[in-house]
Amino acid sequence: MTPHLLLRGGTLLRPEPKTTQDADLLIRDGTIATIGTDLDVGDDVPAYDASGLFISPGWMDMHVHLREPGYEHKETVATGSRAALAGGFTDVACMPNTDPPLHTRDVVEFVRERAEDTPVGVHPIACVSKERAGDEIAEMADLEAGGAVAFSDDGAPVPTAGLMRRALEYSSMLDRPIINHMEEETLNPSGQMHEGEVSARLGLDGIPAASEDVMIARDIELAARTGGALHVAHISTARGVELVRRAKAHGVPVTAEVCTHHLTLTDAAVEASQFDTNTKMHPPLRSPADVAALKEGLADGTIDAICTDHAPHASYEKQVEFAHAPFGILGLETAWGLIGRELIEPGVLSVEEAVRTLTVAPRRILHLDEPGLTEGTPARLTVFDASTEWTFTKDDIRSKSENTPFTDAEMVGRPRAVYSDGQFVECGAA
Ligand SMILES: [Zn+2]
């Protein structure tokens, strides 16, 4: 524990209202005690040199898979939390496709108990349907009482409009969003990658953009009619962005998130990597036009949050033929370096706007309190820079798994440290 800490010489970055302030920040007993210049404190308080670094409210990744219970060979709450700390995150929201799934209150509470020892806030997202089977609605009120912050059958879509309508009706009563994995599965029963020129050339079954677009359109209609809050998980298509943009303009209660890998890679990576199974995920890596539309959607606020869909799989599971490999890659450790490279350095987002997608946006969608950067509030913050050029290597992985296409990739900007729940953790050391 580090109850007292002086962060000396950093730049405090508040995403809302957007302000920056060069100041020292003194933490006493886990609470921000004083913000000021040239703070003089006794030798009993350890100091961290934050000169040249930003300090923001703690980052949150609202879409991760921690795999516990049931798939502890891929990841656990403990190892996933270490990956979060390495990536600069103080909070994550974890998806319910575990075994058993997070479809009963006791499983939701189990995950929260597993997170008690880590400074990372772990916020479970519970199932929409019993057994995550897509048939019968889960006991949503009971799940919410157990600590669920949202509902999703992620890993799979809510398959029918009837179930989705009921879920949205309950969600408006509970004031919690429904997060849908947008995929009309009948349009791509055996798809391996984005349907397009590359899949045709490689002879792989395609996942058409229409599979995502049709589901987003269905759910927007249902959200408009029910008033239930709809959150579009891992948006990946240009048409999907347009649908969300139009829905927002009409006042439909819809929000959206985008994954760092969908902003970074296209379907060309499948071919260029010669079928590296770390280029296989749901939704798939899309076309250059889709990537451009995602960036536009972020820049104009159509897309609210950036997430990673951190999806660990063991090496023996991924090191198989492309067609047999599971979908998904790691994300927590590479998120900020990719955001810096793809969004901040090219001028798509400012540092403040990028931080907003990791702080204000996910917490507003999930109705969680935003950690403050003011005196008297509990210290929950991330220390980072937005310009260090570095190379991500296997040594930077803290997840239990290693499935990332970004080994040896160039990164811009580095998370340095996290303070949360009375603990100070340097990102490399977690
Ligand atoms: Zn998903």
Side-chain angles (χ1 to χ4, degrees):
M1 299 293 276
T2 322
H4 316 308
L5 179 70
L6 176 64
L7 293 170
R8 199 191 295 277
T11 299
L12 307 187
L13 188 159
R14 299 182 183 89
E16 196 172 285
K18 213 159 49 167
T19 60
T20 56
Q21 174 188 8
D22 293 334
D24 298 339
L25 185 151
L26 173 66
I27 297 167
R28 283 211 180 267
D29 295 318
T31 296
I32 299 174
T34 314
I35 291 171
T37 43
D38 301 320
L39 292 186
D40 200 12
V41 295
D43 290 343
D44 60 318
V45 177
Y48 180 85
D49 181 8
S51 50
L53 303 178
F54 291 106
I55 300 168
S56 78
W59 298 346
M60 172 163 204
D61 185 345
M62 66 177 297
H63 191 141
V64 305
H65 297 269
L66 296 181
R67 304 302 194 202
E68 188 174 1
Y71 304 104
E72 290 85 352
H73 65 288
K74 300 173 193 272
E75 193 79 288
T76 65
V77 173
T79 60
S81 297
R82 281 206 287 279
L85 292 170
F89 294 94
T90 58
D91 293 87
V92 297
C94 59
M95 284 297 176
N97 57 335
T98 50
D99 185 18
L102 307 187
H103 71 139
T104 55
R105 183 170 173 167
D106 58 323
V107 192
V108 171
E109 287 173 345
F110 167 81
V111 170
R112 293 179 68 212
E113 278 160 27
R114 298 294 289 167
E116 273 169 8
D117 293 338
T118 157
V120 176
V122 174
H123 307 273
I125 296 167
C127 296
V128 167
S129 65
K130 286 183 182 163
E131 305 288 347
R132 213 174 59 86
D135 300 320
E136 227 184 310
I137 197 111
E139 302 283 352
M140 287 171 60
D142 200 34
L143 291 163
E144 204 262 347
V149 295
F151 299 91
S152 179
D153 277 355
D154 188 57
V158 177
T160 65
L163 183 64
M164 190 64 181
R165 185 179 69 176
R166 288 201 70 190
L168 285 165
E169 284 167 354
Y170 282 114
S171 90
S172 58
M173 285 187 271
L174 296 169
D175 215 17
R176 294 283 173 193
I178 305 295
I179 303 175
N180 202 9
H181 170 113
M182 297 294 185
E183 195 166 45
E184 171 48 58
E185 289 181 315
T186 58
L187 288 171
N188 58 286
S190 57
Q192 298 290 318
M193 67 175 292
H194 175 61
E195 183 178 288
E197 272 172 46
V198 182
S199 68
R201 191 158 58 234
L202 297 179
L204 287 177
D205 283 344
I207 302 172
S211 146
E212 183 166 331
D213 305 339
V214 162
M215 190 66 103
I216 293 175
R218 181 198 81 176
D219 287 358
I220 283 172
E221 288 299 313
L222 294 170
R225 280 163 172 75
T226 58
L230 170 69
H231 180 69
V232 177
H234 41 51
I235 196 166
S236 74
T237 67
R239 179 72 184 153
V241 174
E242 186 51 32
L243 288 166
V244 172
R245 183 179 287 123
R246 285 206 325 227
K248 283 189 165 186
H250 286 97
V252 179
V254 58
T255 51
E257 65 183 30
V258 61
C259 299
T260 40
H261 51 264
H262 287 126
L263 296 162
T264 314
L265 296 171
T266 66
D267 56 351
V270 180
E271 187 171 33
S273 69
Q274 297 183 306
F275 304 99
D276 178 358
T277 58
N278 291 323
T279 60
K280 181 177 179 179
M281 63 282 283
H282 259 165
L285 298 172
R286 300 284 188 188
S287 72
D290 291 308
V291 174
L294 295 173
K295 290 180 179 174
E296 265 178 48
L298 269 174
D300 73 8
T302 299
I303 300 173
D304 304 85
I306 297 177
C307 66
T308 72
D309 196 3
H310 180 82
H313 293 291
S315 295
Y316 73 85
E317 295 169 316
K318 272 290 201 183
Q319 285 167 7
V320 296
E321 262 184 76
F322 197 84
H324 297 126
F327 294 86
I329 57 166
L330 304 183
L332 285 164
E333 296 99 323
T334 50
W336 184 250
L338 293 175
I339 289 169
R341 191 185 92 188
E342 298 296 324
L343 300 174
I344 299 172
E345 194 176 60
V348 177
L349 297 182
S350 65
V351 179
E352 290 89 343
E353 288 164 342
V355 166
R356 189 190 156 78
T357 69
L358 300 174
T359 54
V360 178
R363 293 187 177 95
R364 190 158 293 168
I365 292 163
L366 298 172
H367 296 191
L368 299 170
D369 290 336
E370 176 76 5
L373 270 188
T374 49
E375 292 175 1
T377 58
R380 193 169 196 86
L381 45 85
T382 299
V383 183
F384 63 100
D385 73 69
S387 53
T388 297
E389 295 180 12
W390 57 292
T391 304
F392 183 81
T393 71
K394 265 191 176 165
D395 291 343
D396 298 310
I397 295 175
R398 293 294 177 276
S399 168
K400 198 165 186 175
S401 296
E402 296 187 337
N403 53 312
T404 171
F406 298 116
T407 305
D408 300 324
E410 296 304 312
M411 303 274 150
V412 178
R414 192 154 201 171
R416 299 301 186 99
V418 159
Y419 191 96
S420 175
D421 287 356
Q423 294 187 49
F424 183 66
V425 184
E426 295 194 52
C427 293

